Amino acid sequence: MQSELLIVIPAYNEEENIENVVTYITENYPQYDYVVVNDGSKDRTAEICREKNYELLDLPTNLGLAGAFQAGLKYAYVKGYAYAIQFDADGQHRPEFIQAMLDRIKEGYDIVIGSRFLNEKKSRSLRMLGSKMLTVAIKMTTKVRVADPTSGMRMFSRPMIKEFAQNLNYGPEPDTVSYLLKNGAKVSEVQVKMEERQFGESYLNLAGSAKYMAKMLVSILFVQNFRKRG
């Protein structure tokens, strides 16, 4: 029997993590369905998924997070899932918080974010300074405070699944959350805890993080005013 919720796991070169992530979900949270979206990995990510008979969308080329995520939500839309959650393949996201997010979204929200900072203060690092700036920018432009705008653990309702599936210029980023808020989406947050990446390296090093934060700030404060659907 199909679950009401699909866990979408975009994966790029996650051969060291993907088996642990999927095994933990299937053994401890079998009530949820999942799909791994292999984003044109150059390592053994896809091979491992096929060997283990995982539910797999195997993209022939690397589309980036936005493209891989959209492919997962197209899958969710076609399959008729009521909810979908973006879930990292590197072991940072913890599935024990999914139920609380599911309970919250059923209260009538469109997007529920798994927030690290809803009840906890951000550190004084440069990355957290960037996160604070994004929180301020979103509040300035939407009147809504999002405590953890860079969290990748986001759950979407059926209308949002359709929105992402049918609009190819949408990526799962803070500026898109800001844009959807401007267009009437209801967003909430649930306090979660996250783990450190188990193996491999994140593409967002210090320089990458600074560039990313700057891009998001410009997009939230300026670009979103001219953005159109489709």
Side-chain angles (χ1 to χ4, degrees):
M1 183 178 177
Q2 179 171 296
S3 170
E4 63 180 346
L5 171 75
L6 179 69
I7 302 173
V8 177
I9 310 173
Y12 178 66
N13 292 345
E14 293 289 358
E15 64 179 9
E16 295 179 291
N17 296 307
I18 195 62
E19 185 173 350
N20 289 337
V21 169
V22 175
T23 297
Y24 190 77
I25 291 171
T26 56
E27 290 185 353
N28 297 282
Y29 300 90
Q31 68 270 37
Y32 307 130
D33 292 348
Y34 74 91
V35 64
V36 177
V37 184
N38 175 49
D39 188 22
S41 296
K42 298 178 181 178
D43 64 0
R44 294 185 64 251
T45 298
E47 184 180 341
I48 291 169
C49 290
R50 287 192 290 267
E51 288 174 354
K52 298 293 182 179
N53 292 317
Y54 293 161
E55 294 296 326
L56 175 67
L57 283 179
D58 195 8
L59 304 183
T61 187
N62 177 248
L63 298 180
L65 176 60
F69 176 70
Q70 287 168 346
L73 286 199
K74 285 179 183 290
Y75 178 94
Y77 180 66
V78 170
K79 294 288 187 178
Y81 286 95
Y83 308 100
I85 185 169
Q86 178 187 348
F87 203 83
D88 282 357
D90 59 12
Q92 293 190 73
H93 294 167
R94 292 167 55 173
E96 56 261 43
F97 296 105
I98 292 177
Q99 187 60 54
M101 295 173 69
L102 189 57
D103 291 342
R104 178 64 58 83
I105 205 167
K106 287 182 177 180
E107 294 176 8
Y109 291 98
D110 298 298
I111 303 171
V112 172
I113 298 170
S115 174
R116 294 161 291 181
F117 311 116
L118 192 60
N119 302 321
E120 298 181 13
K121 290 186 177 181
K122 297 177 182 178
S123 68
R124 296 181 179 273
S125 68
L126 287 175
R127 182 175 294 185
M128 290 302 101
L129 174 61
S131 178
K132 289 179 182 178
M133 292 172 68
L134 292 183
T135 293
V136 171
I138 293 173
K139 180 67 180 294
M140 287 173 57
T141 55
T142 70
K143 310 303 181 185
V144 176
R145 183 178 185 274
V146 178
D148 194 358
T150 62
S151 169
M153 193 175 184
R154 304 182 183 100
M155 186 177 291
F156 301 90
S157 67
R158 178 69 182 178
M160 288 294 101
I161 292 172
K162 180 179 180 182
E163 185 80 9
F164 277 87
Q166 295 185 346
N167 291 279
L168 296 180
N169 62 336
Y170 279 44
E173 301 291 357
D175 59 341
T176 294
V177 173
S178 172
Y179 172 74
L180 292 170
L181 277 166
K182 284 185 177 181
N183 282 271
K186 294 180 64 178
V187 178
S188 185
E189 293 179 272
V190 169
Q191 180 68 44
V192 303
K193 294 184 181 297
M194 294 187 187
E195 303 291 346
E196 294 297 321
R197 166 179 276 272
Q198 298 301 304
F199 300 100
E201 296 183 1
S202 171
Y203 71 94
L204 280 181
N205 52 26
L206 183 59
S209 294
K211 183 177 180 181
Y212 172 82
M213 294 297 182
K215 177 183 176 182
M216 288 296 105
L217 278 172
V218 170
S219 182
I220 290 168
L221 292 173
F222 303 106
V223 176
Q224 300 312 307
N225 293 324
F226 305 98
R227 187 172 184 177
K228 297 180 180 179
R229 284 190 167 100

